[in-house]
Amino acid sequence: MPVEFLGIAATNDGSETTPRSSSGAFDKDYTLRLARAHEEHGWDRVLFAYGSGAPEPSAAAAYLASKLDKLQILLAHRPNVSYPTFAAKTFATLDQISDGRLTVHFITGGTDHEQQREGDYLTKDQRYGRTREYIQIVKKAWTSRSAFDHDGEHYHFADFVSDVFPVRQPRPDVSFGGSSPAAYAAGGAEADIFCLWGEPLAETAQQIESVKHAAKDAGRTDVPRIQVAFRPIIAPTEELAWEKAHRTVDRIEARKANGPLSRRHSLTSPENTGSQRLLAVADRGERFDRALWTPTAKATGGAGNSNALVGTPETVAQALLDYYDLGVDILSARGYDLLGDAIDFGRYVIPIVREEVAKRDRAKAA
């Protein structure tokens, strides 16, 4: 099966190791430069993430889509910030601007405090129910040429029909992530792509099975594609890669000493299951499988995509292929030097993985 690579569409050059160098959160020149580096070095798409105080991602994505011709866009969206019919029109318009290059990643929200910053006071279980209903409405708005009513638990409206539809038919893909039973149930029912954070191979295999069972329980005959995310740390030799890895954690700790890395995430007691799982893995040890390294996750409290893959490009590529062999066909990667690492990963890791996947596909065909 084909393999795809997802990078990050950051709007400034800040990371866990480095404060941003520009004065504002939205640096247009850097946003375009980073995206162009992805497009020119073999990446398939980039993620525009969502944060309560961050630049609005759909506007930033529209800016990028108008400048680049090939790079696909994964747009993160929280259902609490807009009505689903409005969101469906926004997404369809963006898909028009990008000539069909849009995928939408729906975020239920794992932290009460962060959700409440924008007026969302539902419990986590209530948020999952709202997200499922929201996705169903968006899908219908994308595909229905006739007016329809909706009378659900969270949304009520009458006689809606959109006048703008996506380029991609029958609709753009829906992406979803999480590590709790509620997440598996919601994503298994509604997602085209289910996103996981990088855990050891055994745990990832278990999560994939949970997603498959949830899809079957929802009555689906297909299953979501699986995406897994890592923080690659590569260098020409193993020794240099491990030196770089330890310097990376030192730099994270130095930034923490000058203030919190994020206003959205607890370093010691995260609310979301995904971060709790990453910290539990880190408590069991630092190194797993071929190249997985957990101190980066531990240093950030398991915040988001935070487990590293450490080694030479060949080692990291083989580690990614281990996940591919489990059934992961979308590989998400983001370095700590966003621009330089995107270029290096594209130059030295992506070609190895693509070549090995092609060999596997030829062997299966034979």
Side-chain angles (χ1 to χ4, degrees):
M1 60 184 174
V3 63
E4 297 181 3
F5 288 91
L6 170 70
I8 189 70
T11 57
N12 61 74
D13 62 357
S15 76
E16 297 94 330
T17 61
T18 310
R20 68 187 185 218
S21 59
S22 62
S23 59
F26 185 29
D27 181 334
K28 290 196 300 181
D29 292 339
Y30 183 83
T31 300
L32 181 57
R33 186 181 177 197
L34 179 61
R36 185 168 284 132
H38 282 86
E39 184 172 81
E40 293 175 350
H41 291 88
W43 299 78
D44 296 285
R45 63 172 60 87
V46 289
L47 166 67
F48 279 91
Y50 190 93
S52 59
E56 203 286 307
S58 64
Y63 166 73
L64 196 69
S66 69
K67 301 291 185 180
L68 300 178
D69 297 325
K70 296 184 298 182
L71 194 65
Q72 298 176 53
I73 293 165
L74 177 60
L75 178 70
H77 180 77
R78 287 183 185 166
N80 61 293
V81 300
S82 68
Y83 209 73
T85 51
F86 175 83
K89 294 185 296 180
T90 301
F91 304 147
T93 305
L94 180 54
D95 199 55
Q96 291 278 347
I97 293 170
S98 67
D99 295 320
R101 288 179 280 149
L102 178 68
T103 298
V104 182
H105 180 68
F106 290 91
I107 301 174
T108 296
T111 303
D112 289 346
H113 186 199
E114 168 68 2
Q115 294 299 122
Q116 290 167 7
R117 286 191 171 113
E118 294 189 287
D120 184 8
Y121 285 85
L122 295 186
T123 66
K124 191 171 182 181
D125 286 344
Q126 289 173 327
R127 294 199 297 267
Y128 273 112
R130 177 182 61 192
T131 300
R132 289 184 70 167
E133 186 177 343
Y134 196 98
I135 293 172
Q136 291 165 359
I137 293 168
V138 169
K139 286 179 178 178
K140 192 166 185 178
W142 278 341
T143 57
S144 178
R145 265 58 178 178
S146 302
F148 64 96
D149 303 337
H150 182 84
D151 186 17
E153 181 179 357
H154 298 279
Y155 302 103
H156 309 271
F157 57 86
D159 202 37
F160 176 80
V161 62
S162 180
D163 196 30
V164 57
F165 294 95
V167 171
R168 185 170 178 182
Q169 291 297 310
R171 57 172 176 78
D173 280 344
V174 165
S175 171
F176 190 90
S179 298
S180 66
Y184 299 142
E190 300 296 339
D192 303 294
I193 299 167
F194 197 99
C195 306
L196 303 170
W197 290 333
E199 296 187 15
L201 290 164
E203 282 81 355
T204 301
Q206 292 169 357
Q207 287 189 292
I208 292 172
E209 287 304 308
S210 295
V211 174
K212 289 180 178 178
H213 284 302
K216 183 178 180 181
D217 290 344
R220 292 178 60 169
T221 56
D222 64 338
V223 295
R225 299 171 64 194
I226 302 296
Q227 172 185 303
V228 178
F230 303 97
R231 305 300 291 271
I233 300 175
I234 62 172
T237 68
E238 295 292 329
E239 182 181 8
L240 289 173
W242 285 104
E243 289 176 1
K244 182 178 177 181
H246 288 288
R247 285 199 309 272
T248 298
V249 171
D250 289 344
R251 293 174 68 188
I252 293 172
E253 295 294 347
R255 280 216 67 194
K256 285 164 56 179
N258 293 322
L261 294 175
S262 172
R263 295 177 65 245
R264 291 183 275 160
H265 186 84
S266 168
L267 293 176
T268 56
S269 54
E271 295 177 33
N272 60 306
T273 304
S275 294
Q276 293 167 6
R277 288 177 63 102
L278 294 187
L279 292 181
V281 171
D283 285 342
R284 286 165 41 204
E286 290 191 354
R287 296 178 65 170
F288 293 86
D289 305 321
R290 194 186 300 268
L292 190 73
W293 195 56
T294 65
T296 47
K298 189 170 186 177
T300 59
N305 170 20
S306 52
N307 266 340
L309 292 176
V310 181
T312 64
E314 293 78 11
T315 296
V316 170
Q318 291 301 322
L320 291 169
L321 286 161
D322 292 337
Y323 288 89
Y324 175 84
D325 291 337
L326 288 181
V328 177
D329 67 337
I330 303 176
L331 300 170
S332 174
R334 172 165 57 100
Y336 292 92
D337 170 9
L338 300 180
L339 180 61
D341 288 343
I343 293 171
D344 286 347
F345 188 89
R347 281 177 174 167
Y348 303 120
V349 178
I350 289 178
I352 298 173
V353 176
R354 291 201 191 279
E355 182 179 355
E356 290 299 319
V357 167
K359 289 180 182 178
R360 284 162 165 75
D361 288 344
R362 287 195 296 268
K364 289 178 181 178

